[in-house]
Amino acid sequence: MRLRFILGEVVNGLRRNGTMALSVVLVTFVSLMFVGAAALTQMQIDQLKDDWYGKVEISIFLCPESSRNEQCAEGPVTVAQEDAIRSVLEDGALKDLVQEVYYESREQAYDKFVANDEDGIWSSLTAEQMQPSFRVKLADPEQYQVVADATEGLPGVDVVRDQREIFSELFRFLNAATVVAAALAAVMLLAAMLLITTTIRLSALSRRRETQIMRMVGSSRSLIQMPFMLEGAVAATGGALLAVAGLFFGVRYMIDDWLRSSVTWVQYIGTQDVWSVAPWLLVIAVGLAAIASLVTLGRYTRA
């Protein structure tokens, strides 16, 4: 009987304040869409970092025939210097950090350059003018600075570059997008909580006479407050479910069907990641409703 009474009161309350309840659903939907989008964007960034940073290499460019770098003042790199650099990478203190070392000679660099120079603009260059290099694949890409510090000052080394620099601007942009989405989500969540509070307040005011009668006959405070709390929770949960559906279909059609077929060299998040975010969105929705209920009901259903 008590459960039937509570459920009946919840249905009646939602029907009486249908417009406000719908507003709660929509605002919660939009706010949790931003929360979910921020979470999924950060998951995509982490996945890209794991994938791309694991593939990039360190390029150790050796002194060419003519260089403005002071380290190359003695002329182009010699065979002895190349052997010394290789020894540091493969047999020295860096051997545990280095997974593999590739050497690109002047001739190989020249052949690659000519293959990419379709217009023949640089046809006057010769192989002797090209820059040999070591390409180093690290066991742990995060140890780039250790390898760079150990090789930059070696005789014959012109410059050391990390290919991760290519992606740094992209990741900065994506991180900024995540921050913006999170900030918008925080604003929308605040709006959702205020709207839930208003909805519960209106419902409590419309049934003030009923709650007074219930207090007079000895009903417990929890029994009086439970229908109002469930009203907010139901509306917020509805918004959360819509947000999960929106994120699911967004990932399903925009990423799985479109991006995966047009940009095939990127590892994307999938619908399984949406399901991993979904429980947290439901928890946030119920938490918002609980906080709003506690703030509001303490005044309007006080025994």
Side-chain angles (χ1 to χ4, degrees):
M1 290 294 294
R2 180 174 297 182
L3 179 60
R4 182 181 302 176
F5 167 78
I6 292 175
L7 295 178
E9 288 295 300
V10 171
V11 173
N12 291 334
L14 291 174
R15 186 173 61 248
R16 291 174 184 174
N17 301 289
T19 302
M20 292 296 294
L22 180 60
S23 299
V24 171
V25 172
L26 294 178
V27 173
T28 306
F29 159 62
V30 174
S31 61
L32 292 181
M33 277 286 288
F34 279 113
V35 174
L40 291 175
T41 301
Q42 193 58 51
M43 292 171 69
Q44 180 67 75
I45 293 171
D46 293 339
Q47 186 164 311
L48 289 175
K49 285 182 177 180
D50 291 340
D51 184 42
W52 291 354
Y53 281 0
K55 293 178 181 178
V56 298
E57 303 167 340
I58 289 178
S59 295
I60 303 175
F61 292 100
L62 308 180
C63 293
E65 189 174 273
S66 59
S67 175
R68 297 179 180 179
N69 194 332
E70 294 182 0
Q71 290 189 192
C72 299
E74 297 180 1
V77 64
T78 64
V79 175
Q81 289 173 338
E82 291 179 355
D83 291 341
I85 296 169
R86 182 186 290 274
S87 178
V88 170
L89 293 171
E90 296 181 339
D91 303 317
L94 301 178
K95 66 178 181 179
D96 293 333
L97 304 178
V98 174
Q99 182 175 333
E100 200 162 358
V101 177
Y102 307 90
Y103 175 73
E104 184 175 78
S105 65
R106 291 180 176 85
E107 291 74 17
Q108 291 171 328
Y110 177 76
D111 292 340
K112 184 185 296 184
F113 186 81
V114 170
N116 294 326
D117 186 25
E118 298 179 357
D119 298 329
I121 298 175
W122 305 101
S123 58
S124 60
L125 290 177
T126 63
E128 287 71 22
Q129 294 174 301
M130 300 304 294
Q131 193 169 21
S133 63
F134 286 103
R135 300 199 312 275
V136 183
K137 187 173 180 61
L138 300 180
D140 180 6
E142 297 298 326
Q143 298 297 320
Y144 153 73
Q145 197 59 50
V146 176
V147 177
D149 291 342
T151 55
E152 279 178 332
L154 294 176
V157 174
D158 185 11
V159 64
V160 179
R161 291 179 181 164
D162 180 14
Q163 291 179 351
R164 291 186 304 174
E165 297 172 1
I166 300 173
F167 308 113
S168 60
E169 291 299 324
L170 172 62
F171 288 136
R172 268 196 286 269
F173 170 77
L174 292 175
N175 283 323
T178 303
V179 172
V180 171
L184 290 174
V187 173
M188 294 302 297
L189 287 174
L190 177 60
M193 189 170 70
L194 293 175
L195 192 56
I196 294 172
T197 301
T198 302
T199 302
I200 295 174
R201 182 185 296 119
L202 290 175
S203 182
L205 287 172
S206 67
R207 286 182 279 174
R208 173 171 287 182
R209 180 176 296 179
E210 297 175 21
T211 56
Q212 288 176 347
I213 294 173
M214 292 177 67
R215 285 200 298 267
M216 291 175 62
V217 299
S219 298
S220 64
R221 189 173 186 179
S222 60
L223 180 63
I224 297 173
Q225 293 182 349
M226 187 59 66
F228 302 105
M229 297 178 66
L230 289 178
E231 286 177 30
V234 168
T237 301
L241 293 176
L242 286 178
V244 172
L247 292 171
F248 175 84
F249 287 112
V251 172
R252 175 70 178 82
Y253 292 107
M254 292 185 63
I255 294 181
D256 288 347
D257 289 351
W258 178 44
L259 284 178
R260 285 187 194 277
S261 59
S262 58
V263 185
T264 58
W265 47 272
V266 175
Q267 293 293 325
Y268 295 102
I269 58 173
T271 52
Q272 70 278 3
D273 296 298
V274 176
W275 297 126
S276 67
V277 172
W280 293 105
L281 298 183
L282 292 172
V283 168
I284 292 173
V286 175
L288 282 177
I291 294 172
S293 299
L294 292 175
V295 170
T296 306
L297 294 175
R299 175 180 177 184
Y300 290 94
T301 63
R302 186 179 295 116

